[in-house]
Structures are given as structure tokens and as C-alpha cells.
Amino acid sequence: MRLLHTSDWHLGRSFHRESLHDAQRAFLDHLVAVVRSEGVDAVLVAGDVYDRALPGLDAVALFDDVLHRLADLGVPTVFISGNHDSARRLGVGAGLIGRAGIHLRTDPGECAEPVLLADEHGPVAVYGLPYLEPTLVRERFGLAKGGHAAVLGAAMDQVRADLATRPEGTRAVVLAHAFVTGGAPSDSERDIAVGGVAAVPASVFDGVHYAALGHLHGCQTLAPHLRYSGSPLAYSFSEVRQRKTMWLVDLAADGSVTAERVDCPQPRPLATLRDTLESLLTKEEYAEHEQSWVQATLTDAARPSEPMEKLRRRFPHTLQLLFDPEDGGAEPSRSYAARVSGRDDLEIAEGFLRHVRPGAGPEPDELDWLREGFERVREGADRKADLPR
């Protein structure tokens, strides 16, 4: 059986305020084309369909459109809800939609109710485990306490119990949205540590032939039967080196797995550039990034004037600007509170100016203005204190 494993669409998300609507539509067009051209037997979407619990109308329209197109192809598709999704909203109409071969698994009470598929080698049971927030589902699984590992372990116990009742030779596939130990995170996943330790051991998925994982945005293989597809698009500059793909998985008659990556179309390459402003604007080595989405870190000793405007003349798609002088600034290991302890307001303001303009600091007239401003504030505070109460 040939499976297409994808996850973390995050429909409705932007990239540093740049709309990704057209890029997400292009990805969904690509997904449907791959299903058609590669003879896919079932599509697995391992959570975070939407970027937020209340998605915008444009995002809902994208989802609605791809549901119709997949249903028209007659290819069974299994979705689970992720930690970004509203499980209740995503699951609306699940029973009716299921008649069209689109299976929405959003209810923790249905973890042991598989979507039953079959090929010439026999049955395949596909279990959809939605994102399980420990504080919300412990009671349902009969647990008095425990975090992510406990609730996911309890759900998998139910899966294995159901699988034991199936005909001999039934192959088992699980979809789950979790942070599995050994996975490499990026900056764009929402933390799921609330409710207990976030990571769950890979051994939780013992007893199944393939686990299609979602949540981490980098495509990765934890074991031949245990894989993250990653997000189809980059959602932070921490993903600059990630190759965005889906997994095309072939499940053999004996349950063994082979898989290959299918690249997803990208709207623009990402570039994280670090240099002085002058070097970024003049060096030929940066020419290849002129049409990329750019994160620029300036290393100038003094903060340049109008740096974003100047950068965008060469790199029109610069989205993020950071400053990190080569000298690193003074006392980097001490907290801000420790560095300002014992200083008066004027000294703190003077220190701020030295921080943002290393090597220059405040001019004499600027110090005079600051001193006058603080004196007026104090005078105003004193007058207020003298008013009758």
C-alpha cells in the first residue's frame, strides 16, 4: 500500500507578516498532483491543519477545496487534529465527511477505532491519535496523573488492544501529533510542555508498522517505521537549512516500510546573512540572495542609519533585521537587572545609548536633554505628591 505522509500545513499562517496564502495553495495543488501521479492509496495528515483554533475564512476555503479534490480522486485521507487546531471545530461533520472517504480523527475517545483499508495483501488498520493535551484527557484514559508520555501511552495501549482483535496479518499505521524523543525542533513549533514533560519515548509506538508523526517542522527519520514529514513550508528562519518534503511510503505485505521524500514547492529561498551593512550591500557573494527572504544580522560597531531601507534596495524581501556587534557588547553574561543595579535614571539612559551606538555613546547636548527631562519628571512627581488626598 502506498501512503503519502504530510503534516503541519498551518493554513492561514504568515511568514514575518508576508502572506503565505498563495504558497499554501500551490502546495495543496502539488499534493493533489502527487496523489494522482504516484498512485497513492491513502493520504495521512498528522495534525496542525490550521495555524490557529479560529482560522480565517481564506484558510477554511483552502481546506474545503482540498477536501473536495481528494474526495473526487477517491483516495482515502485521514486527518488528525494538532495542538494548533481546535479539535471540536476541525471535527465538525466528521461522520458525514467520512462517507466521502475523508476521515477526521479529532476525538480522543476514537483512538482505537481505525479507518480500515485493504490492498491485495490484506487489511491495513489506520489509527488516528489527535493531539492529546494531558490535563484534558487524563480522566478519559483512566489516569490520575501523568504527562504526554502517559496519555499517549494509554492511547497506544488501546490501539494495540484493538489490533489484537483484528485478523492475523493486519498491518497497523498510526498518526500522532507529539514531540518524540530524538526529534530535532525548530523555532516555529508551539511549545507543548504545558501539562507535563513534552517528549515521549519512541517505544510508545511499539507494535505498529508505521507511525506518521506531526508537530516538528523538519523532515526526519527516527526509525524506519517512525518518521516526521515536517511542514511543507518554512515558518521561521531557523528552518533555513531544511528541505521541505512529504514522505511517499510503501507498506509491504509483511509490514516493512520503504520511503522516499517528495519535495514541496517553495515561494522563495531563505537566507540568513551576517555582516556589516556595507559588506552586505556591496559584496558579490551575497548576490545569490537578492530575491530571497532575508534575515540580516548587522555586525557594525555602531548602529547604521536607516539600515532596513538600505538593505531593501539590494534585498527587497528583507523581513527581519538583527544587531549583533562583533565586540558582543559589555558584560553579556550578566542579566539586565544586575547591570543596572545601583544606577540612577540618567546613568541607565546613558548606558542604553552606549549599547545601541557602540563606540559612540551620547553627545554632550543629548546628556543635557536627558538630565533636563528627568528633572522635569521628578518635579512633576513631587508636585503630585504634594496635592491633598
Side-chain angles (χ1 to χ4, degrees):
M1 179 170 288
R2 174 158 283 188
L3 309 170
L4 185 63
H5 168 197
T6 177
S7 72
D8 295 273
W9 294 356
H10 289 278
L11 299 180
R13 189 161 183 162
S14 60
F15 185 79
H16 291 272
R17 299 186 180 182
E18 287 285 311
S19 173
L20 291 176
H21 181 80
D22 291 342
Q24 290 176 334
R25 179 180 294 281
F27 159 68
L28 295 176
D29 290 344
H30 174 67
L31 181 143
V32 172
V34 169
V35 170
R36 185 185 295 113
S37 65
E38 296 294 337
V40 170
D41 297 303
V43 177
L44 313 177
V45 186
D48 281 351
V49 174
Y50 292 121
D51 189 55
R52 59 181 188 267
L54 292 172
L57 294 179
D58 287 347
V60 174
L62 285 178
F63 185 52
D64 180 67
D65 179 66
V66 78
L67 291 185
H68 281 85
R69 295 166 72 186
L70 290 170
D72 288 344
L73 289 176
V75 175
T77 302
V78 183
F79 290 86
I80 61 171
S81 50
N83 60 302
H84 278 250
D85 298 310
S86 165
R88 292 286 297 274
R89 289 184 174 87
L90 185 64
V92 167
L96 185 62
I97 295 172
R99 298 178 189 177
I102 306 296
H103 306 278
L104 304 174
R105 290 296 188 259
T106 62
D107 184 349
E110 297 178 348
C111 289
E113 299 177 15
V115 176
L116 295 175
L117 308 176
D119 61 11
E120 65 271 25
H121 303 297
V124 175
V126 181
Y127 297 89
L129 312 185
Y131 170 68
L132 302 172
E133 172 55 48
T135 57
L136 300 179
V137 301
R138 285 191 193 112
E139 184 176 350
R140 182 176 292 231
F141 288 110
L143 301 172
K145 59 181 181 179
H148 289 273
V151 296
L152 194 54
M156 282 301 302
D157 286 343
Q158 292 185 1
V159 167
R160 284 184 283 266
D162 179 81
L163 185 60
T165 69
R166 302 290 167 182
E168 185 176 353
T170 298
R171 290 157 289 167
V173 173
V174 167
L175 287 76
H177 196 86
F179 181 14
V180 179
T181 302
S186 60
D187 291 344
S188 57
E189 299 106 5
R190 181 180 296 165
D191 183 21
I192 60 173
V194 175
V197 176
V200 302
S203 59
V204 164
F205 298 100
D206 287 351
V208 301
H209 297 95
Y210 186 70
L213 301 177
H215 179 58
L216 299 184
H217 288 182
C219 181
Q220 48 201 293
T221 301
L222 305 185
H225 73 296
L226 194 64
R227 300 170 187 260
Y228 282 98
S229 69
S231 61
L233 300 171
Y235 294 118
S236 75
F237 279 105
S238 67
E239 300 166 59
V240 64
R241 293 180 177 85
Q242 292 180 3
R243 175 185 164 199
K244 295 300 184 179
T245 61
M246 301 178 285
W247 283 112
L248 195 60
V249 177
D250 287 316
L251 187 63
D254 63 357
S256 61
V257 166
T258 57
E260 63 176 294
R261 296 173 71 176
V262 179
D263 289 295
C264 299
Q266 301 301 302
R268 292 184 185 278
L270 306 185
T272 54
L273 309 181
R274 178 186 175 87
D275 213 328
T276 64
L277 179 61
E278 179 65 22
S279 295
L280 290 175
L281 296 178
T282 59
K283 284 185 177 180
E284 183 61 28
E285 66 187 83
Y286 299 124
E288 63 180 296
H289 304 300
E290 289 177 355
Q291 295 305 313
S292 300
W293 274 327
V294 169
Q295 177 197 71
T297 300
L298 301 186
T299 61
D300 301 76
R303 187 170 299 212
S305 172
E306 300 182 337
M308 182 63 89
E309 290 77 1
K310 293 174 181 176
L311 279 170
R312 284 181 171 168
R313 292 171 193 163
R314 185 178 192 187
F315 309 102
H317 305 288
T318 302
L319 300 182
Q320 190 174 34
L321 180 59
L322 306 173
F323 296 90
D324 187 18
E326 286 295 351
D327 62 13
E331 303 174 292
S333 62
R334 299 180 63 200
S335 70
Y336 176 76
R339 294 198 301 271
V340 302
S341 177
R343 300 184 186 183
D344 62 28
D345 292 338
L346 181 61
E347 290 172 328
I348 293 172
E350 182 180 356
F352 172 76
L353 288 175
R354 293 190 184 281
H355 174 71
V356 298
R357 294 194 307 218
E363 299 291 338
D365 56 348
E366 291 175 324
L367 284 176
D368 291 340
W369 295 333
L370 285 169
R371 188 177 293 107
E372 180 183 352
F374 284 126
E375 288 175 355
R376 288 186 179 181
V377 169
R378 281 193 293 270
E379 290 171 1
D382 291 342
R383 285 196 297 270
K384 184 176 180 181
D386 290 337
L387 292 175
R389 299 185 181 181

